[in-house]
Amino acid sequence: MPHCELSYSSDLEIDAKAILAEVEACILRHDGDAGETKGRAYPAPVFLHTHMKATVALLAKPHRGAAFTAALQKDLVDLIAAHLPRPCWLSVDITFSSQTYHTEFLE
């Protein structure tokens, strides 16, 4: 159950929901069992320099090693960069949740 947070300067005219949907599809291409990606976008009204930071958090699993992470990061950078005007700083951070992370769907 991945999470993606987009934090960006509010001068960017982007479709954050479309980016989040593409991030989810990208993660699923790399790991078809990843499930839905919970996505959030936070435009910053006060900022210095045009930028976007995408943070993707995944559960740690044996098949999600260095090669998996490098390939996923490359694809995420490419797809997010395609949505951004130039000049713009882009940062993509892939993290892994700790063993104490808990999630469940409440009905």
Side-chain angles (χ1 to χ4, degrees):
M1 176 161 306
H3 287 259
C4 178
E5 292 187 357
L6 303 177
S7 175
Y8 55 96
S9 55
S10 61
D11 64 331
L12 289 176
E13 294 183 20
I14 59 168
D15 185 346
K17 192 169 185 177
I19 295 171
L20 291 169
E22 287 187 37
V23 166
E24 179 179 68
C26 181
I27 292 169
L28 288 169
R29 281 193 300 276
H30 285 267
D31 184 346
D33 294 326
E36 296 176 329
T37 298
K38 310 315 176 275
R40 293 166 292 287
Y42 304 104
V46 178
F47 62 90
L48 185 61
H49 309 294
T50 300
H51 70 278
M52 173 177 282
K53 179 181 180 187
T55 303
V56 174
L58 303 164
L59 294 174
K61 295 189 175 186
H63 66 280
R64 293 179 178 165
F68 170 88
T69 304
L72 176 60
Q73 186 173 49
K74 182 196 177 310
D75 287 350
L76 289 173
V77 167
D78 291 347
L79 85 83
I80 295 169
H83 287 270
L84 300 178
R86 289 355 183 229
C88 180
W89 286 100
L90 171 61
S91 304
V92 176
D93 186 18
I94 297 175
T95 66
F96 291 92
S97 301
S98 72
Q99 292 179 337
T100 59
Y101 177 81
H102 171 83
T103 187
E104 67 180 281
F105 183 69
L106 304 174
E107 294 186 76

